Amino acid sequence: GQQVMQIPQYQHVQEGEDFTTYCNSSTTLSNIQWYKQRPGGHPVFLIQLVKSGEVKKQKRLTFQFGEAKKNSSLHITATQTTDVGTYFCAARGSNYKLTFGKGTLLTVNP
Amino acid sequence: GAVVSQHPSWVICKSGTSVKIECRSLDFQATTMFWYRQFPKQSLMLMATSNEGSKATYEQGVEKDKFLINHASLTLSTLTVTSAHPEDSSFYICSASDLLGAAFFGQGTRLTVV
């Protein structure tokens, strides 16, 4: 099955600094999704990217899908304490089955 | 987005007993639901795909007799952890996807077996 590698595993930033997490696959992905899981909570869908080179923005969050559709990134500009959580990328396969990356735990120092 | 409700949110049970976890899609019909297990500070591990009206599809290494899945209606899937042992203690979470493929998760169930 498909695998997605996600780095870094942890990232600690000062409030106001930027943050980026990366997701890579050895195979071409039909799509990539991003989720956020707050400590003690459940994953919440953020976005889905399907087109080569696609870039989508949600306020301070920018999502990119690589030209070869093998990598993706999530960038947060000027982090806030509310951004704390684990960010997961996931590739959707057949029958809506998701393969998750290991996630990046973001902590923000106020 | 779609709403998925999971119950209970936490449960403590004695070793050897069985625990049933319910997952409901509240505002849409889900022919397929997914069950995951998540250990602390780790990613979600897919356990099985729950199919309405048919047998669940289990991932490699997941004991189907240990983790019984029933999907009797388009809005309800249940996961029963049978003869639970302390090593079954974990965070169990279900999801259902909308037509665009976005997954919506239940609140999760934290199971502690003592």
Side-chain angles (χ1 to χ4, degrees):
Chain A
Q2 56 191 355
Q3 290 186 325
V4 286
M5 309 298 292
Q6 189 174 355
I7 57 169
Q9 192 173 359
Y10 305 99
Q11 184 76 59
H12 178 74
V13 300
Q14 287 292 127
E15 189 171 22
E17 291 182 339
D18 292 355
F19 159 77
T20 306
T21 173
Y22 302 89
C23 202
N24 295 285
S25 170
S26 58
T27 60
T28 302
L29 303 171
S30 59
N31 63 84
I32 194 84
Q33 299 180 358
W34 287 93
Y35 294 81
K36 176 183 179 182
Q37 185 175 24
R38 293 181 185 273
H42 60 279
V44 174
F45 174 78
L46 295 177
I47 209 158
Q48 176 170 257
L49 305 172
V50 296
K51 297 178 182 177
S52 168
E54 190 170 12
V55 177
K56 287 189 177 180
K57 292 192 174 186
Q58 290 179 353
K59 297 184 180 178
R60 294 178 294 105
L61 277 61
T62 302
F63 305 85
Q64 293 188 335
F65 200 8
E67 293 289 343
K69 300 182 75 173
K70 289 185 175 182
N71 58 76
S72 180
S73 65
L74 158 59
H75 179 83
I76 302 179
T77 304
T79 55
Q80 299 175 359
T81 54
T82 52
D83 295 325
V84 164
T86 301
Y87 293 85
F88 292 98
C89 61
R92 176 168 57 84
S94 60
N95 199 25
Y96 297 109
K97 203 170 168 179
L98 292 178
T99 300
F100 282 86
K102 290 188 180 295
T104 298
L105 173 61
L106 171 65
T107 54
V108 179
N109 199 28
Chain B
V3 179
V4 176
S5 178
Q6 188 173 339
H7 178 81
S9 56
W10 61 270
V11 58
I12 301 173
C13 72
K14 289 186 177 181
S15 189
T17 61
S18 296
V19 173
K20 180 186 281 189
I21 303 169
E22 292 187 348
C23 182
R24 294 179 185 276
S25 56
L26 297 185
D27 54 355
F28 68 106
Q29 294 181 330
T31 55
T32 302
M33 291 186 179
F34 299 92
W35 287 97
Y36 296 86
R37 184 173 181 176
Q38 187 177 35
F39 291 103
K41 297 186 179 180
Q42 292 192 24
S43 189
L44 291 89
M45 182 192 79
L46 180 65
M47 298 175 65
T49 302
S50 174
N51 305 297
E52 187 269 334
S54 64
K55 291 183 180 180
T57 307
Y58 290 82
E59 295 300 300
Q60 192 171 11
V62 178
E63 299 176 60
K64 58 181 69 176
D65 295 331
K66 174 76 171 175
F67 300 100
L68 299 179
I69 291 173
N70 184 275
H71 195 153
S73 77
L74 287 170
T75 58
L76 174 64
S77 174
T78 61
L79 167 68
T80 301
V81 184
T82 63
S83 187
H85 291 285
E87 57 265 30
D88 297 324
S89 298
S90 191
F91 188 58
Y92 294 88
I93 191 163
C94 66
S95 78
S97 295
D98 66 9
L99 292 177
L100 296 178
F104 295 90
F105 289 84
Q107 300 91 325
T109 298
R110 195 160 301 281
L111 170 64
T112 303
V113 185
V114 297

